[in-house]
Structure formats: structure tokens, C-alpha cells
């Protein structure tokens, strides 16, 4: 995957961005979070990804 700039992702999504850095990978499973990834929290029928946002950041995700 091409490296993406976090501020550029936020601009495209029309969202505020309080962090800088590059994104090397996008994950939806917090167990796969690692430095340089962007964690996308998705609510589901059995789990809500938002409940795992802190865990993803602790594992090194550059953004949620």
C-alpha cells in the first residue's frame, strides 16, 4: 500500500486532524494494530470497534 499522510486523509474525509504522521496500513481489527497503522473503528452486531480505540493507540496506531 502507498504511504498516506494522516492530515491528507483527514482533509479528504472533511474531518479535523490533531495528529501528524504517515499511515502505512489500515486495519479494522485492533489486535492487528501496530506502529504506523490507522485503526478504523466499525460498529457491528457483536462488537463495537470504538471500544477498542484506546487499545489500538496503545499498540502504536497513528490514528483512529
Amino acid at each position: 500500500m502507498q504511504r498516506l499522510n494522516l492530515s491528507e486523509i483527514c482533509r479528504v474525509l472533511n474531518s479535523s486532524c490533531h495528529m501528524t504522521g504517515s499511515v502505512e496500513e489500515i486495519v479494522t481489527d485492533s489486535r492487528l494494530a501496530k506502529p504506523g497503522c490507522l485503526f478504523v473503528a466499525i460498529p457491528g452486531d457483536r462488537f463495537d470497534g470504538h471500544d477498542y480505540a484506546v487499545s489500538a493507540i496503545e499498540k502504536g496506531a497513528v490514528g483512529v
Side-chain angles (χ1 to χ4, degrees):
M1 180 177 122
Q2 178 182 347
R3 221 175 245 208
L4 303 170
N5 184 299
L6 191 55
S7 61
E8 180 66 12
I9 293 170
C10 291
R11 185 190 67 74
V12 169
L13 296 174
N14 197 28
S15 175
S16 61
C17 186
H18 305 286
M19 301 177 77
T20 60
S22 60
V23 175
E24 298 175 15
E25 183 177 2
I26 299 171
V27 299
T28 58
D29 185 334
S30 64
R31 296 172 294 184
L32 302 175
K34 59 186 176 188
C37 79
L38 174 65
F39 174 66
V40 179
I42 300 174
D45 294 333
R46 295 177 46 211
F47 301 100
D48 185 346
H50 297 90
D51 295 336
Y52 302 95
V54 172
S55 174
I57 293 293
E58 289 173 346
K59 291 180 180 178
V62 295
V64 175

